[in-house]
Amino acid sequence: MATTSNDINCSTDKPSGLEMFGTLLVRVIVPAWILAGVLFKFASRDPSLLPKQFRAIVTGAGIDLKMGLAMILAIECAAILIMLFVPKLARLMAVLMLASFVLVLLNEMIAGNLTNCGCLGSYSPPPWLMMAIDVGLLILVVAIRPATLGSSCAARLGWVQASIFFLVASLIAFTWVLDRPNIVGSTLKESSPQTKAIEEATETGQDVIVESTDPIQSNETEAPTPTEQAAAVPSRDWYELDASDWVGKNVRDIDLVQYVRGLPDDIEQGEQYIIFYSRTCDHCQMLLDFHFGFGVPVPTTLVAVPENQEGFEADGILENPCLDCQLAELPIGVNWIMTPPLVLAVRDGEVICAKEAEDSDLPECLPFN
């Protein structure tokens, strides 16, 4: 019987065991690894978990962070589908995706992020561990050649299948991420006692005494009358911190400071500190304990940052060692993307130092201590 050209195009040779492992690697293991990241990010749908350097690129391009997260999910879904349905491009796509992951993680670690890269949503291990896995997979993909499975017949069908699944996956990703409400509701506190006291002060125009059952708010502290500037709120439901140009500015011209509820009226007088902190942040507690636990060197305002967009955490609250600090807060309903403690040193209203993720042992932004 004569052999037709179609028979030749659709025939395959028997692959070796190593080639079969290479095929398993690029068509099962790597896609499953990327899919794990997609599912975790899909479940959290929190753009603040994206790598910091990537967030800077997205915001610099004028793209909403939610849109950026949806785009990342769509790109990763496209890569998975190509590896599954287009065998001839599976190895190339695996190399491109793993190499991009390695570059992003390397950039994060160079920038000082050694805690969480957001690669697996809110469950991400340290960047160095994720990078070790990605580098290991990349080496295997480059070193082991996969079997030549598939044909021109299957390739055409694969592209059709990948395109259909990509459209469905992208539609789900964009709908799920972009439709996330500002306040989705949870077991978290909607507001803390400090917030409620400040709201009452705003309505009555009087000073109040804050009494809280939270350990970090347990000190009776006189809350100053909120200023009119504290009524400002971000135009979006997330705020991306960029303190690079704050030094030299008037403290009331700083956008983040304008959002503070309960900021002292005399914040522009003399030397003062403003410390943005999380009540569940052990680094924040260490900074306050080491440098403010035995009294404040200058008037100091502690601004509590909501631990979650839905509100303040009800569990895991750490004790506040600064008994003499004045208390204030940022409003809930906003995803405050920053790494506390954030310390501002202010002299006569001018910001002379601003440091995110301030070190408790060797702080750079406590010149008045």
Side-chain angles (χ1 to χ4, degrees):
M1 178 182 295
T3 302
T4 65
S5 59
N6 288 338
D7 293 332
I8 295 175
N9 290 338
C10 296
S11 64
T12 58
D13 297 327
K14 185 177 180 180
S16 66
L18 191 61
E19 287 178 331
M20 286 300 296
F21 176 73
T23 301
L24 179 69
L25 190 65
V26 300
R27 300 198 65 193
V28 177
I29 297 177
V30 174
W33 175 240
I34 299 175
L35 179 62
V38 169
L39 293 178
F40 278 111
K41 289 193 284 286
F42 189 83
S44 63
R45 53 175 175 173
D46 185 353
S48 67
L49 297 175
L50 292 172
K52 185 174 182 179
Q53 301 303 311
F54 177 79
R55 295 200 311 264
I57 295 174
V58 171
T59 54
I63 302 174
D64 185 89
L65 283 181
K66 286 184 178 180
M67 179 64 71
L69 175 59
M71 292 169 60
I72 286 295
L73 291 175
I75 292 172
E76 292 182 346
C77 286
I80 293 170
L81 293 170
I82 288 176
M83 284 184 277
L84 290 177
F85 295 107
V86 188
K88 291 185 178 180
L89 295 180
R91 189 185 190 192
L92 175 61
M93 185 57 63
V95 170
L96 291 176
M97 293 302 294
L98 291 171
S100 64
F101 290 165
V102 170
L103 291 176
V104 169
L105 290 168
L106 182 61
N107 195 26
E108 284 293 296
M109 290 190 290
I110 292 175
N113 180 9
L114 302 176
T115 56
N116 191 326
C117 63
C119 307
L120 297 179
S122 57
Y123 306 99
S124 290
W128 61 266
L129 179 57
M130 296 294 294
M131 183 172 177
I133 297 173
D134 291 335
V135 169
L137 289 174
L138 180 59
I139 291 174
L140 290 175
V141 170
V142 172
I144 302 176
R145 182 183 182 88
T148 308
L149 298 177
S151 61
S152 58
C153 306
R156 289 190 291 270
L157 178 60
W159 276 112
V160 173
Q161 293 172 320
S163 300
I164 294 174
F165 281 111
F166 172 72
L167 292 176
V168 174
S170 298
L171 178 62
I172 295 174
F174 277 86
T175 302
W176 177 254
V177 172
L178 298 181
D179 281 355
R180 180 184 181 184
N182 291 354
I183 302 296
V184 298
S186 68
T187 58
L188 300 173
K189 290 184 177 181
E190 291 186 355
S191 61
S192 73
Q194 176 73 6
T195 297
K196 295 176 181 178
I198 293 173
E199 288 174 349
E200 293 175 1
T202 303
E203 295 176 358
T204 62
Q206 299 176 353
D207 293 346
V208 296
I209 300 295
V210 176
E211 296 182 2
S212 172
T213 56
D214 288 344
I216 202 163
Q217 302 283 6
S218 60
N219 313 312
E220 290 192 358
T221 308
E222 184 173 331
T225 303
T227 62
E228 292 181 359
Q229 289 197 1
V233 293
S235 58
R236 293 172 288 196
D237 61 350
W238 54 268
Y239 173 88
E240 175 79 1
L241 178 68
D242 181 8
S244 59
D245 62 347
W246 287 5
V247 174
K249 287 187 175 181
N250 185 280
V251 65
R252 293 200 182 275
D253 293 334
I254 304 299
D255 55 355
L256 182 62
V257 175
Q258 294 175 7
Y259 304 141
V260 175
R261 310 181 69 179
L263 191 69
D265 291 328
D266 62 352
I267 195 63
E268 297 177 272
Q269 299 177 12
E271 297 175 339
Q272 300 199 34
Y273 288 127
I274 303 176
I275 302 176
F276 294 82
Y277 76 113
S278 169
R279 302 180 304 164
T280 59
C281 168
D282 53 354
H283 297 292
C284 303
Q285 186 191 41
M286 291 174 61
L287 178 76
L288 295 175
D289 189 22
F290 292 168
H291 303 283
F292 299 89
F294 299 97
V296 294
V298 296
T300 302
T301 302
L302 288 184
V303 182
V305 181
E307 290 80 19
N308 193 285
Q309 186 175 349
E310 290 81 11
F312 289 86
E313 287 284 358
D315 301 320
I317 306 301
L318 301 175
E319 182 181 357
N320 177 15
C322 185
L323 303 179
D324 300 324
C325 290
Q326 300 185 68
L327 304 180
E329 290 178 348
L330 288 172
I332 63 173
V334 178
N335 194 344
W336 301 102
I337 305 175
M338 66 179 74
T339 304
L342 167 66
V343 179
L344 276 67
V346 181
R347 178 184 289 124
D348 296 328
E350 179 185 353
V351 178
I352 64 171
C353 186
K355 182 66 167 63
E356 183 184 11
E358 180 64 283
D359 184 68
S360 58
D361 295 323
L362 298 172
E364 301 177 17
C365 225
L366 297 180
F368 310 138
N369 284 45

